Amino acid sequence: MLKLTKKADYGLMALKYLAEHPENPALSAKDVADAYGIPAQLLAKILQLLTKNGLLKSHAGMNGGYALARDAREISAYEVIHAIDGPFFITSCTKGAKSCELTPSCTIKEPLARVNDTIAGVLKSISIQDLAEHEQPAHRQHAAQRLVALTL
Amino acid sequence: MLKLTKKADYGLMALKYLAEHPENPALSAKDVADAYGIPAQLLAKILQLLTKNGLLKSHAGMNGGYALARDAREISAYEVIHAIDGPFFITSCTKGAKSCELTPSCTIKEPLARVNDTIAGVLKSISIQDLAEHEQPAHRQHAAQRLVALTL
DNA sequence: CTATATCCGACTTCTTCAGTCCGCATTCAG
DNA sequence: CTGAATGCGGACTGAAGAAGTCGGATATAG
Ligand code: FES
Ligand code: FES
C-alpha cells in the first residue's frame, strides 16, 4: 500500500548513478546492475522503459549503454516513476470521469485527488540531481513540512 | 504502485459517513456498507480494525454498531491508513536500520525518506471532518502546491 | 565475424489484496 | 429465557500485480 515499486526504485538508483558518472559517455545496464547488486536483466528492461520515455539516450553494440538524455536537474522523480509504473493515482478510481462504479456514493474521491496532486507536486520538485547530492539541506525539508501543514 | 488499498479507502468512506450522521448513536457495519454499496463483511473487518486501534467505539448486540471515538476533527487520514494498512513506507526498505540487504549501495533511501515524511505530514493534516465538508477551498490547495514547489 | 550491447515479448513465480465463510461472543427486545 | 441482531476474529480462496527469468532479434565496434 502506497509503496513505490522496486522497479521505480531501481530506476531512480540507476539515474542517480548515471548522474554521478558524467565522465562516461555510456554505461551499460550490466555496469549499473553490478554497482548496486540488482538483477541485470530486470534493470535492462527498466532502462529501456526510461529510454522509450525520453529520459535516457541509448547506444547499442560494443561499448554501448545509456546516458542521461537531459541534465540531471531537468529530470524529476515524478517523470521516472511515471515512465516506469504508469499514471500516478493514489486512489483506486482514476479521476477521469466514469471509471468508478461507486462514484455516486463515494464523495471521498475529491479530497483524495487533492492529496494526490500534492504528492505529485512534491515528486515533480525533486530532480535526479537532488538525489545525487549527498548533502541534505535539512532546513529546507523542515520548511516544506511546516508550510504543507499550515496550508492544507 | 503508490496506491491506497481499497480497505483504506473504504475505511475513510465509512468514517466520513459516521461523521455525517452524528445523530445516530451507533451505525452498524451493514448500514454503512449498504449506503456505499461495498461488501458488508469486508467493511465489518475494517471497522473492527479501526475499533481495535481506538478510532471507533463499538457496541455489540441489537441496535449496536459503531460510532466515532473522538471528534471528527481529531481523527486524521493518516491514522486511518495506519490502522488499516499498517506502518507507512513509500520505500521497500523500512528506514529502521538493517532491514535492507542492499543498504550499502543504495543511497537513494534517505531522500525518499524525506518524501515519505512529507506525504505522511500531508495525510496527518487532513481530518475526517475535512473529508465530510463538501466545500473545497481550492485556493488553499493551490497555495500549498506553490509552497511545496518553492521549498523542496 | 564475433563479442558486447540494446531491444522486446512471453513466461514463471511470489506476494499481496479483495473478498468470503464460518463459528463464537455480546447485547437487547419480547 | 430465548432468539435475532450485532460485533469479533481466524481461515480460506481467488484474482491481481510485482519481481524476476528466458530466449531471440537487432545493432555496432573492433
Ligand atoms: S473509489 Fe471511485 S469514486 Fe471513490
Ligand atoms: S532499497 Fe533498501 S536501502 Fe535502498
Side-chain angles (χ1 to χ4, degrees), chain A residues 9, chain B residues 93 100 102-103 106 109:
Chain A
D9 219 343
Chain B
C93 55
C100 187
L102 32 92
T103 311
C106 170
K109 202 185 65 174

Side-chain angles (χ1 to χ4, degrees), chain A residues 4-26:
Chain A
L4 244 43
T5 60
K6 271 204 172 97
K7 289 183 190 175
D9 219 343
Y10 292 161
L12 288 170
M13 288 160 70
L15 286 189
K16 169 176 179 287
Y17 189 74
L18 291 177
E20 285 173 339
H21 297 80
E23 69 277 10
N24 291 53

Side-chain angles (χ1 to χ4, degrees), chain A residues 91-94 99-104 106-109, chain B residues 9 13:
Chain A
T91 42
S92 356
C93 55
T94 72
S99 45
C100 186
E101 333 75 46
L102 33 91
T103 310
C106 170
T107 45
I108 224 77
K109 201 185 65 173
Chain B
D9 219 343
M13 288 160 70

Side-chain angles (χ1 to χ4, degrees), chain A residues 43 112 140:
Chain A
L43 215 220
L112 252 34
R140 287 205 291 169

Side-chain angles (χ1 to χ4, degrees), chain B residues 16 26 31 45 49 58 65 71 80-81 119 142 145 148 152:
Chain B
K16 170 176 177 291
D31 291 338
K45 275 212 302 203
L49 265 177
S58 65
D71 188 273
V80 178
I81 295 171
I119 296 174
H142 296 147
Q145 279 209 12
V148 168
L152 253 180

Side-chain angles (χ1 to χ4, degrees), chain A residues 69-151:
Chain A
R70 303 174 237 154
D71 187 272
R73 295 201 174 280
E74 304 297 320
I75 303 177
S76 71
Y78 178 87
E79 285 181 280
V80 178
I81 295 172
H82 185 276
I84 296 175
D85 284 336
F88 181 82
F89 288 118
I90 232 58
T91 42
S92 356
C93 55
T94 72
K95 186 176 179 180
K98 60 199 168 256
S99 45
C100 186
E101 333 75 46
L102 33 91
T103 310
S105 43
C106 170
T107 45
I108 224 77
K109 201 185 65 173
E110 280 204 25
L112 252 34
R114 294 193 301 140
V115 176
N116 190 82
D117 290 347
T118 303
I119 296 174
V122 173
L123 290 176
K124 279 175 186 164
S125 74
I126 296 181
S127 73
I128 297 300
Q129 179 71 34
D130 293 336
L131 298 181
E133 288 166 356
H134 294 185
E135 294 294 322
Q136 301 299 344
H139 61 92
R140 287 205 291 169
Q141 158 69 353
H142 295 147
Q145 278 209 11
R146 255 203 327 277
L147 292 167
V148 168
L150 279 174
T151 52

Side-chain angles (χ1 to χ4, degrees), chain A residues 14 28-29 32 43-52 56 66:
Chain A
S28 75
V32 182
L43 215 220
K45 274 209 305 202
I46 295 167
L47 295 182
Q48 286 163 29
L49 266 177
L50 293 174
T51 304
K52 196 155 64 178
L56 290 178
Y66 299 90

